[in-house]
Amino acid sequence: MRRSRWKESEIEDMLRELPKLKDDRTKAEVYARIYDKKKKKHWIPLFAGVASLFLMVVLASSFIIDKNGTTSREDSGSSGKLSLSESKEMADLERKDTSNQEKPSEDKQEAQEFSSNQAKIESKDKFSEMEQRKGEKEKTFEQAIYQDDLENASIITMGVPDDQMNFIVPISIKLKLKHHDESDTLNQLVNQMSDIDEAQYGLSDYFPLDIKISQGNDINTAHIDFPEKSQLLAEDTLFLHSMEETFSYNNIEKMTFSTEGKQGARFAHAGYLKEMDIPHQKNRTYLLYQRDESSPSFLVPSNMGYRDFEEALQAGKGEADIEGISPAIPHDLKWERISSNGDLVIIHLSDQAVIENSDETLQALEAILFIAKDFGFEKVKFENAPIEEVGKLNLTEDILVPEAPNQVN
């Protein structure tokens, strides 16, 4: 053993020369410090052991589950059989999948069937529309009602205001009767006033009225009884014009008035009246009224009278600055001279007069017939006409003026 080169005395001397160190801790503190260090060192291995054990359990569980699953799938694949519940679930899934695949096909088939049915319906509608148009084309155009049309029939004519209430439009309904009784005309008139649908003709919703209409002292008199404070008494201008136009076509020559059964009625503009005569000769011209293209066109009398028949004819060609109103007589329907012989008026047409067998020409000729009627003529003769017939009118003969305009049925 090698001996140290330092002697003990020398070592002691060197230690004495070192600086003095002093520990102020007590024994208890030193012991507690040593105990804590030992305690920490014991927990570290314990924690590491627990963590290792937990990791082993997790790994073992995963391995077992994977092995069981693999075994289960291998067994199922090798045997080719499923449990009842599994088979049912698989069958349900297959049915749902098949249903989802077949549903678009069914929808497509339904759509094809609907399109086919729709095409059949549209084809049928087009055929019906073509047949209807064909029938309309073949049907003779006829707006006025003539004496020949009244065999076993009667006429009810109502004067209805246009949609702007500028004119009174006479519309006529032909009623088929086995035996016509003129005493029942007013009852028929009241019934038609209740039934008429003015809107479909482009007219104002005017009827029925809050009045009572009955026969007066004779068959040619109509009696009208007003309720107290009737609105018609305030709007008397329109009302009286409507009644005049209505009664003039229904063989009524006079109106008598009462209010709540008491004789007479006080009108806002006409004043107090007990009766009023119905003029049948007003010397008016005729124009055309049509609210829009979907509404029928009607012959409508003017609101003013004219000096003579020829002036009224010329006025029938005039443009009116009123919505829905147009000339009834075209400018190319020209005449050279007009003469009369009693109840016959003769119109000598110009060589340049355009006369065709069309609805437009027929309506123009009927306007001329009603102008003649308004001047008291009963027959009209057209001379130098380029054709012999327009509709049912024979231009080679004297033509009786119509009984009423604008047949709507």
Side-chain angles (χ1 to χ4, degrees):
M1 182 175 177
R2 186 179 178 181
R3 292 185 63 182
S4 174
R5 63 188 182 121
W6 299 101
K7 295 181 180 179
E8 290 181 359
S9 60
E10 292 178 350
I11 293 171
E12 289 178 356
D13 291 337
M14 291 178 66
L15 290 173
R16 290 189 186 98
E17 291 178 358
L18 290 173
K20 294 182 179 180
L21 297 175
K22 186 178 181 179
D23 190 358
D24 295 331
R25 295 178 297 175
T26 62
K27 292 182 180 180
E29 290 176 346
V30 174
Y31 177 77
R33 181 93 175 178
I34 294 172
Y35 178 79
D36 290 340
K37 288 183 179 181
K38 289 184 178 181
K39 188 177 181 181
K40 290 181 180 179
K41 289 181 180 180
H42 289 167
W43 274 109
I44 291 173
L46 179 61
F47 177 77
V50 171
S52 300
L53 180 60
F54 177 76
L55 182 61
M56 290 177 64
V57 170
V58 171
L59 293 176
S61 300
S62 300
F63 176 76
I64 293 171
I65 292 173
D66 182 66
K67 184 176 180 181
N68 290 339
T70 304
T71 305
S72 175
R73 287 193 294 271
E74 288 176 354
D75 292 343
S76 175
S78 62
S79 64
K81 296 181 181 179
L82 296 173
S83 65
L84 181 61
S85 60
E86 290 173 339
S87 299
K88 185 176 180 180
E89 291 176 0
M90 289 297 293
D92 291 340
L93 291 173
E94 289 177 359
R95 280 197 299 269
K96 289 181 180 179
D97 184 62
T98 304
S99 175
N100 291 334
Q101 291 178 357
E102 291 178 353
K103 188 174 182 180
S105 177
E106 293 175 357
D107 292 343
K108 185 176 180 181
Q109 183 177 359
E110 291 178 357
Q112 291 176 348
E113 291 178 356
F114 175 78
S115 299
S116 177
N117 293 335
Q118 188 70 14
K120 290 179 181 179
I121 294 173
E122 291 178 356
S123 176
K124 184 176 181 181
D125 290 343
K126 289 181 179 179
F127 178 77
S128 299
E129 185 178 355
M130 291 174 62
E131 288 295 316
Q132 182 179 0
R133 290 180 179 178
K134 183 179 178 182
E136 290 177 354
K137 187 175 180 180
E138 293 175 353
K139 182 181 178 181
T140 302
F141 177 81
E142 181 178 72
Q143 277 206 323
I145 300 176
Y146 296 84
Q147 184 63 44
D148 295 342
D149 302 322
L150 296 180
E151 184 176 358
N152 296 326
S154 63
I155 309 170
I156 294 298
T157 301
M158 291 169 284
V160 186
D162 69 290
D163 67 335
Q164 299 298 319
M165 295 190 176
N166 293 318
F167 292 86
I168 300 298
V169 182
I171 60 173
S172 302
I173 299 172
K174 186 169 67 173
L175 303 177
K176 294 182 179 180
L177 301 173
K178 293 183 179 180
H179 302 287
H180 175 54
D181 185 0
E182 291 186 0
S183 63
D184 195 43
T185 299
L186 290 178
N187 290 331
Q188 296 174 5
L189 175 62
V190 172
N191 292 335
Q192 293 301 322
M193 285 180 173
S194 300
D195 294 339
I196 187 173
D197 179 12
E198 299 97 327
Q200 67 175 316
Y201 306 122
L203 304 174
S204 294
D205 184 7
Y206 193 65
F207 295 112
L209 303 172
D210 63 336
I211 57 175
K212 295 179 181 179
I213 301 177
S214 59
Q215 183 176 308
N217 296 330
D218 56 65
I219 195 173
N220 299 118
T221 301
H223 181 75
I224 300 175
D225 183 65
F226 295 91
E228 193 74 31
K229 298 181 180 180
S230 171
Q231 186 67 23
L232 297 175
L233 295 174
E235 301 171 353
D236 57 323
T237 302
L238 184 67
F239 169 73
L240 292 176
H241 285 173
S242 173
M243 291 299 98
E244 285 181 5
E245 194 68 24
T246 298
F247 291 138
S248 65
Y249 287 101
N250 293 284
N251 300 319
I252 301 298
E253 298 177 354
K254 185 170 64 176
M255 293 182 287
T256 58
F257 308 110
S258 64
T259 306
E260 294 288 351
K262 297 180 180 180
Q263 186 180 32
R266 186 167 297 280
F267 297 96
H269 301 90
Y272 179 78
L273 296 175
K274 294 181 180 180
E275 61 182 41
M276 176 182 287
D277 292 332
I278 305 295
H280 288 263
Q281 187 174 326
K282 298 182 179 180
N283 300 349
R284 302 169 298 182
T285 191
Y286 274 74
L287 303 167
L288 287 182
Y289 167 74
Q290 185 178 25
R291 184 184 64 181
D292 50 45
E293 293 182 356
S294 63
S295 303
S297 62
F298 296 106
L299 290 173
V300 55
S302 63
N303 292 327
M304 61 177 293
Y306 295 86
R307 292 177 302 173
D308 54 48
F309 176 69
E310 186 170 3
E311 184 184 20
L313 279 185
Q314 195 63 41
K317 294 183 177 183
E319 296 285 346
D321 190 19
I322 300 175
E323 184 179 357
I325 299 297
S326 60
I329 305 174
H331 288 280
D332 54 11
L333 203 165
K334 302 177 180 180
W335 52 84
E336 291 183 354
R337 60 183 180 273
I338 295 175
S339 60
S340 63
N341 183 10
D343 60 1
L344 173 67
V345 61
I346 303 168
I347 303 174
H348 188 85
L349 298 172
S350 169
D351 293 336
Q352 289 78 35
V354 177
I355 302 289
E356 300 175 344
N357 188 11
S358 63
D359 294 350
E360 292 75 13
T361 299
L362 178 56
Q363 199 166 37
L365 295 181
E366 287 186 342
I368 294 174
L369 295 177
F370 280 108
I371 296 172
K373 184 182 180 75
D374 230 56
F375 277 83
F377 295 109
E378 297 180 2
K379 294 179 291 184
V380 177
K381 172 68 174 178
F382 293 98
E383 292 183 344
N384 196 36
I387 59 177
E388 295 184 353
E389 291 183 350
V390 175
K392 66 185 297 183
L393 301 181
N394 188 342
L395 302 185
T396 65
E397 301 176 351
D398 297 349
I399 302 173
L400 290 173
V401 296
E403 294 293 322
N406 304 324
Q407 181 182 352
V408 294
N409 68 330

